[in-house]
Each structure stands twice: as C-alpha cells, then as structure tokens.
Amino acid sequence: MKAFADLFRALDESNKTNAKLEALEAFFREASEADRLWALGLFSGRRPKRLVAATKLARWAAAEAAIPDWLFAESYHMTGDLAETVSLLLPKANAPVEHSLTDWMQRIQGWRGLPEILLKAQVKEAWAALSDDERLPFNKLLTGGMRLGVSANLAFKGVARAESMEPAAVMNRLSGAWHPDDVRWADLLRGEVPGRGAQPFPFFLAHALEASPEELPGGPEAWFAEWKWDGIRAQLLHRNGAIAVWSRGEEEVSAAFPEFKLLLGRLPEGITLDGELLAYREGEVLNFQNLQNRLNRKNSTRDLLRRFPVILMVYDVLEWEGTDLRTEPFALRRQKLVRLMSEWTLPGVLRLSPELPFAHWEALRAMRERSREERTEGLMLKRLDSSYGAGRKRGDWFKWKVDPYTVDAVLLYAQRGHGRRAGLFTDFTFGVWHHGQLLPFAKAYSGLDDAEVRALNAWIRDHTLSRSGPVVMLEPFHVFELAFEGIARSTRHKSGIALRFPRIHRWRRDKLAFQADTLDTLESLLKSSNAAASQGQLPETGDLFAGLHDAR
Amino acid sequence: MTGEGLYCPAGDFYLDPWRPVPRAIITHGHSDHARAGHGAYLTHPETAAILRHRLGWGADAWDTTTTIGGAAAYKASAAFRKGEPFAKRVGAHSPERPVVQTLGYGKTLTINGVRVTFYPAGHIPGSAQVLVEHRGDRWVFSGDYYCTGSEGALQPEMGGRFCAPFASVPCRVFITESTFGLPVYRWPDPVGEFAALQRWWAQNQSEGRCSVLIGYSLGKAQRLLHGLDASQGPIYGHGAVRTMTDVIRGLGYSLPELLPVDDGDWGKGRGGERVREREKKFATALVIAPPGAIDSPWMKRLEPYSLAFASGWMRMRGPRRRHAADRGFVLSDHADWDGLNAAVHASGAERVLVTHGFAEPFSRRLREQGLDAAPLHTLFEGESGEIREGREGREFGEGREGQEGQETRERPDAPQPLPLQP
C-alpha cells in the first residue's frame, strides 16, 4: 500500500491543484489495474462503511501505545482526527511488510461481521505489518472516514491524463454503480461493464451568483428563472423496466423512496429526469427536516410515507426515448419536459418546477424577496442556450440565494477543531440573553478567517473560566453575528429552538456582551418563519461535552 | 513563583523572569526566556554573546569581574527596586548596560549561600539547565531542552553533534518544560528527516524552483545548516538568520556559508531580463528564512519557490495544512514525549514541576507513575512563538528581534507557593 500511502500524503500536503493532479496522474499510470480500481473507488465515494467504532479503535490503540484512555483523548483533541491520532500513537513499525492496496481492501472486506475479539487481533496484526506512513490511510479505512482531499472530478482528470482520454468521457464512464470487486479497469474505461443499465449522469452544478444579475451576459431574455428548492438533488431514471432514484452523492436511494415505483408503466421508458426531492403535502413544501426523516432507510414504513410524503420537483430532462439530450440547449429540454408533464398522466409524486417569468431583473429581485414564503432557498438562473455539463462549470447556471437570517450572540464555550485547524479552538457555542442569563442555543464552526481564529485563540488562552474535557468555558465577552438558513422548534435543546446551517457571519467587535440579542428575537423569527416548522424535529447537533466522536 | 517569574528566595535571584528584576539567571537566548531590562544577568558565555547581539548591549555592558552576588550588584538591585536611577549608584551599570556575569557548563557559583551550577540542555548553543543547591537540597530548572528517549534510555543528541548534548542531573525537584508533552509528539529519526529535506531540495532543483525552508533564526536555523549537505547547492539566508549565524559562528561553531539573498543587485525595475536572472539565481538554491518572512515582499523575490517548515509541530497534518506548507519536516530543538519522560526519570526527582506546553496532561501522567508532579504556570512559549498560534500577534515570534523591550504584554499571575523555597 506504499504507493497509495504516498499518494494520500501528496494530496494531503499540497494545496496546489496542479501538484495534486500530477500525483494522481503518476499513481494511475504506475499502479496495478486492481489498485487503480480500488483507489478510484475510494475517490468516488465507494469507501467501505465503518468497520470499527471510534471508541473501540481508540481503546485498542491506547492499549498498544501503553497509555491510559484519558491521555489518548487529550492527544485526540490536539490532533483533531481519530485515525491520525491512532497512527501517531502506535509504537514505531519495526518490520513492515508490503501488501498492495487491493490486498488490504479485500482483507478489510473479509473482516466485516467478525466478533470483536477476532477483529481486534486482525487489526493489531495489520498495524504491526504496516509502515508508519501506511497506517493513516489504513485507519481511515477502518473508521469509514477515508476522504482524500480532492474531488472525484480531479481524480477523473488524473485518470484521463494517465490514460490519455477526454475528462468528460472518463467521468461519464466512471459515474454510477460499479464496484472494484466486479469490474475490470479496461472494461470500465471502455464503458463495457455489464449491468450498467441504471446509472445517472454526472450532475451539473450551479455557481453562486456573486455579482448582480445585471452583469450577466445577454440580459433577462437570455435567462430562465425558477425557485431554488431546498431539498435533495436527485435524478430519476426509467430504464430497462425499472425506476431508480440517485442522489447527488451518486448514491442510489430508490429503496428509501418507494413512492416513485408508482411511475412504472406511467412514465415513458428511456428517460432521465433531474430534480429535487422535497417533503410535500397538499400543495405545500414542508421543512427540510421532514425529508431527513426519510433518509438512510432501507425500507420505509407506511406511517413514515404518510407522515412525510415526498415528491420530485422536476426541472430538467436529460434523456428522452433513450437519447442523451444533455448537449441540447436548456430551452429545448425545458420544452420537452413541459410537454412530458402535461401530456402524460403522471401521479402526484412528480411535479414541474414552475418557470418564474420576468421582464427585467428588478422584477426578479422582488421575486427573490419572496423565497422564504415559498419555502425555497432563493432563485436559480439558467442560461437558455446552455447544455447540461458535468460538474461545476462557470457561466451557465447560477444560484441566487436569499440572504440568511442573522442574530447577534455571545461566545460561551470553545472546543478544539479538526482538519486544517486541528489543535486550535474553532468549534464554538453561542448564547443569547434570556431573563438576565445567557442561554446556549447554537454551535458554529466556520466563518472566521485565519487571522480572526488566531486572535480569538490568543484571547481564549487568557480568558478561560473552566475546563470540562475538551470544552472550555469562556468569559462572556465577545459578540458574533451568526447567519443561518432556517429556524425550528426543538424540544431537545434547552433554548427550545434549533437553527439550520448556523455559521459565523461577522465578529461584532463593536458590541459588548450585554448588547447581544435575546431569546425573544429568535422566538419572533420562529413565528414569522411559518407554522409548518413545528412538524418533526431537527436532528440533535451533538452533545456539548461529548468526548470522542468521529471527525466531521 | 511571582508575577515576575520563578524566584529563589534564599539566593534572592530569578530564573528566566519575564519582568525586569534585579538579578536574573538566564537559561538560553530565546526571547521568551531572556528579556531585556534586568539589573544583573548570570548566564552561559555563549548565551551572553547571543544576548549582547539580541539586546543590543554595548561593549561596556561586560563586567565579568562583578560577581552576581557581589556588593556592587546587590547595591544596584536595592536601588533598582526602590526605583532610583540605576546609574546613579553604580556608575557604569543601568538596565541598558547591565551587570553581566558568565558561568561555564559544570562550573559553580555561590550566591548568598546558594550554589548554582550550569549543565548543558542541548536546546541551542549556550542553553543551560540550572542546578540550585541549598542546605543539601537539589533543584534543577531545565529551561528548554532537547533529548529523546528510546526504550527508556535517554538519547541526548540529534544525529550528529551540534551543540553540547543534554546532561542528566540528579536532583530532588525537577522543573521541566513540556512544549511537546503529549504522546503524539514523538520525533522520527532526524537522519531520515534530513534525508527527506535533501530530497525535497533536489526535487525543487530539478523543477527549477527555489527551496524556502522556514525555521527560527536563533538555534533552529543553525541546526538546519549544520545538518544539511551543502554540496547540493548554494544556501542563502534571510538577514536575521545571517546575522545570528555569524554570532554563532563567532562562538567557534563551524557552519556552511550562508549567502545574502539581497546583494543590492535587484529591485531596480521589474524588467523581464532581471526577473529571469533572479529566477536563475535561486533555481537551485535553498533559502533559510524566519517565520516572520512568510508572505513578505522579501519572499516575493524568491518566486517560484516551494515552502517547507522545520518544526516539531509538523508532526501533525493540521499545522502542516494550516501553514500552507508544501512540506513539513519534523525537526525540533525540544524534547519529544519520549525525551521528556526519559529526562524526568533519569533525574531521579521525586517532585516534578511542569512548565509551558502541555503541563496538565504531562504532570497527570507523571502522577500516575507515582511521582509528585504538578503544573507550574509560566509565560514561556517553547516552540510556540515559532509556528504554533499562541499569543496574539506572536505566532511568528520572529521579526521582532531587537525589540525585546516592547514584548511586555503580561498578565497578572495568581500568587503561588515559591517553588524554589528549599
């Protein structure tokens, strides 16, 4: 696994895309075909599910390193990554034995379902056989946390270079369902993989609109507008007599959404639709949290289907009568889609994302103001003559999101972060005033730049009131403006509310703690943000004083 | 412990104090340990030379005839405490021109009945551990030190010898640093790290790129210079690195030549010809620069370059990525986890006081092993002033050299029992 460990390290260490691409190209040129398949599998999200629970792995590693569990925990808080902590703590490898990536992957697959005592013996034996550099990727495989610091797209580009192929062609052939155990490298690249019938196309993604729409080329008449739906991007395929639903992560989610089986026999064959999965009832889009109740389920009970009905809000057709339409202009695809939706009698699980006609940008701007009432995240702008590309291409599709909600909150607790900022305090808990006390209500991890993180860390060193495990309690002093996308009632939080995507918007150095907002501010936001929010609950964001947990 | 620093009441002197005091024993020349403004200094001769450069002492600061416990210094300190002008009482001496006395390794000086002996700490040239003896009791203050451990045995040197290696000193109370006091900080073989460094340089040469290596200008830079194979190409140094290297060379250390980056031959226009010439000049070169030089206009001149850090913090991926380094080499002049443990156990101390770094977990671990250990709060920063984010504006402690007097952002410390009370 040495070559793969070197690639892992190269990708991890460099922050330059070109250097990463070169490392990928070199790997895909030199590795065995089986190793290429496995590596590509890992790059494109086909990583094995977690084999060992974090706490177990931590305990085993602490025992190997002959240190107590609390010292492992201290080390973990500084490192910010479980697999890395384990790798750093294990005794130095004395006589590593080289096995290929494929060997290791096959072994690891074979360990699934082993009783703990046998699994532990296997893992310990593996640690002894691995070199220091190989242990990190190996541990990442065990914890199911293998992320390689590059997008699947870049990996595809690396393959394309190594194989002297077009990146788009590589991407087309490598998306969708295949498993390194079942295919051969050459077949995969030639597109000759049996049973490739029900694969989605690579998703075309939009860029955020950074300037004003007035600066877009062509003027209003060159653009199409619709709501930006707040659900899960998905493609629905009807091929070979079967309906399949794929989410943007290129994961098949058909089993979780059985309602789409209703389309069998009612939707023409050889079709691929692109749209958004939404929880939807009686003409109204429900909060995102309703949809979450339906995710990650192998089968859905009738009760779930009834309580959280889901539809696909369709906005594009990519394949029609077995013909790939992606190079056709958007306007034409839209025309076909409208025809399909009106000419075929389709069950309610498919709905057409309505066009938002506008004569000038000012009218659209007014429309955007209504996004929240419509339970959307803002607007999508698509150039009428654009083809359906692959990945994120600038200039054709834009998302024009509505401004987030904001609230001024006081920093109360801090915890050390992960990844690039491991070892620094970057995980913060905030509070608002309620009856003269500060009530914790939100955690936020992002939004500060490096200089702000440094300054805040220096301040934290001198203003810590107490420490509880990895969490430090701070003097209530600094005020931050938090931005968030949604707000809902929650019985699981002391404050009674839960925020969607909270992040730090601004450090309000101009404000003192007593000038922060109150719980009443949030309550009134909650009221205005619609009664539908009361259905279901947002998931718990995690115990404030949780010890070990997997890196995000 | 007082607000000024670690204090020995019997001898009436301080160890590495962070506020001006009458009499200070200084373990080594880094700015978090050796500050300006004390009345009298006792330190190793090499540290004295470093401080003379760093703190801008004039030639008349040297007064090796004045014993630190002598009458002149005592009078001076009393006057200083009362706030009277120092110079008035003792003529030549003032905080700008302090009394400086030196003490070699293994040499002893008796101050007010307290015996003080210096032993090498292996951290940087001149770095010393201080043995304090009084009525048969033995205390050792480690300052910063380098050693590592292997199967319980203490390894005092990093590959080849650079400065005097760490010496273990038996004592009852050991006051140790803990900059890298977590078991995740274990140094890989320095020979291997230097080999990797050399390979990185060669790779950059083959791609026509300058190799910029970041390391603190006092100690680290010279240790790197000492370990590098200079036959691979020209080695350049940032101004701060070059002057400090000259000081160290003046102490008798033999180090490869460091060329000046700025030879006055550029900046006269950004013409293509000139840029090409410059690129050619640095294409095969390795440049040693302090952390403060990162993202400075000075660095721009070296483009295109690959950036690497040499530091114990490079052991982890987080700091490597945070500093946008192309490479990180795990080369530290501090003891790693194994080294700290080996040093504590070798000292035979029954009481261990743990200063700057991971004082809490390290002392807890020692308590579990049956030692009487406790954290001791200080304002030392270890290697933190170098790479790790620490006190505001001091992430890269460099670039402030020669401005010691301004580095007095302090906080009041809670009074603690005097640890050096025998």
Side-chain angles (χ1 to χ4, degrees), chain A residues 224-294:
Chain A
F224 173 92
E226 62 188 323
W227 295 116
K228 180 177 182 334
W229 300 103
D230 183 14
I232 294 170
R233 181 83 181 273
Q235 283 181 31
L236 184 138
L237 295 66
H238 186 204
R239 287 185 204 149
N240 311 327
I243 300 281
V245 183
W246 289 80
S247 76
R248 208 192 97 183
E250 294 197 356
E251 193 182 345
E252 189 173 352
V253 292
S254 312
F257 300 103
E259 47 262 85
F260 295 104
K261 291 215 177 80
L262 291 173
L263 294 169
L264 267 179
R266 302 170 75 173
L267 190 69
E269 269 261 348
I271 196 166
T272 301
L273 300 174
D274 186 11
E276 196 94 356
L277 292 168
L278 295 170
Y280 190 91
R281 178 187 287 135
E282 290 159 12
E284 198 180 358
V285 177
L286 306 180
N287 254 8
F288 185 80
Q289 57 197 20
N290 292 283
L291 186 58
Q292 278 180 322
N293 287 306
R294 293 286 308 277

Side-chain angles (χ1 to χ4, degrees), chain A residues 16 70 88 90 454 462, chain B residues 186 317 326 368 395 411:
Chain A
K16 299 186 178 79
W70 69 263
L88 292 176
L90 290 173
R454 270 201 305 276
D462 291 353
Chain B
R186 284 179 308 162
R317 297 189 305 154
D326 297 307
E368 284 183 348
E395 176 179 6
R411 65 186 142 175

Side-chain angles (χ1 to χ4, degrees), chain A residues 8-9 12-16 22 66-68 70-72 74-76 78-79 81 84-85 87-92 136 140 416 419-424 450 454-455 457-459 461-462 467 509, chain B residues 181-189 207 305 313 315-328 337-338 358 360-362 364-365 368 380-381 384 388-392 395-396 409 411:
Chain A
F8 183 89
R9 198 180 161 100
D12 192 57
E13 280 192 347
S14 180
N15 53 358
K16 299 186 178 79
E22 277 169 23
I67 59 166
W70 69 263
L71 192 51
F72 183 95
E74 288 281 350
S75 301
Y76 167 72
M78 200 59 210
T79 316
D81 182 300
E84 188 182 354
T85 312
S87 313
L88 292 176
L89 285 176
L90 290 173
K92 278 178 188 150
L136 180 61
K140 292 241 164 220
R416 294 189 196 274
R420 197 171 73 86
R421 286 170 171 176
L424 294 176
D450 286 350
R454 270 201 305 276
N457 270 265
W459 182 85
R461 256 175 74 153
D462 291 353
R467 219 185 124 174
R509 291 179 194 256
Chain B
L182 279 181
V184 275
Y185 296 109
R186 284 179 308 162
W187 306 152
D189 179 10
E207 288 164 18
Y305 61 79
W313 301 109
R315 176 80 169 140
M316 282 182 192
R317 297 189 305 154
R320 285 208 297 270
R321 284 149 70 180
R322 184 152 67 238
H323 288 95
D326 297 307
R327 288 297 297 272
W337 171 257
D338 292 337
F358 295 96
E360 303 263 352
F362 184 43
R364 180 172 170 190
R365 182 67 183 141
E368 284 183 348
F380 307 135
E381 296 172 345
S384 69
R388 189 173 153 217
E389 285 80 353
R391 305 180 71 74
E392 190 166 11
E395 176 179 6
F396 302 120
R409 193 179 92 86
R411 65 186 142 175

